[in-house]
Amino acid sequence: MKRLKLNFIVAAGLSLGLLAFSSIREGGIQGKVNPAEGASQVLAISGRDTLRASINNGSFVFSKIKPLTYTIWVKANPPYKDTSVENVAVVDSATTDIGEIKLLQ
């Protein structure tokens, strides 16, 4: 009888643990840099987390990221200047489109 109770408690604990992790949903951020050749990399920063995205024809996508608030930082190639977009919110299972980021000289 004690073994049956222990097995039940272990099974219940594992089930609750799996449900807790499945409730975390990931989102994304997408945008475009203009001019495309002006950007060397795009970073998404939230607290101590820094993510990098590749740039393809000026477009970038961060996928499967935690639902937090990010600062998007575009590192520019000379003669363009670095620029950032602050307070980009990512919500559960949605991709936030921040539109076009124009680099200034």
Side-chain angles (χ1 to χ4, degrees), residues 8-88:
F8 177 75
I9 290 172
V10 169
L14 287 173
S15 297
L16 288 174
L18 290 174
L19 287 174
F21 286 110
S22 67
S23 67
I24 298 173
R25 299 204 175 125
E26 298 168 329
I29 300 171
Q30 68 182 17
K32 188 168 181 131
V33 178
N34 187 8
E37 68 278 357
S40 62
Q41 63 179 308
V42 179
L43 306 171
I45 303 166
S46 182
R48 294 183 181 203
D49 292 337
T50 301
L51 307 169
R52 286 181 172 78
S54 59
I55 304 169
N56 187 9
N57 294 325
S59 297
F60 62 90
V61 176
F62 293 94
S63 58
K64 297 184 180 179
I65 60 176
K66 296 176 191 173
L68 297 169
T69 301
Y70 293 87
T71 296
I72 304 303
W73 185 28
V74 179
K75 292 183 120 186
N77 296 321
Y80 298 100
K81 296 179 182 176
D82 294 352
T83 190
S84 64
V85 178
E86 297 183 6
N87 299 318
V88 177

Side-chain angles (χ1 to χ4, degrees), residues 1-10:
M1 188 70 169
K2 285 185 178 183
R3 184 170 174 93
L4 181 62
K5 285 183 182 179
L6 181 60
N7 285 342
F8 177 75
I9 290 172
V10 169

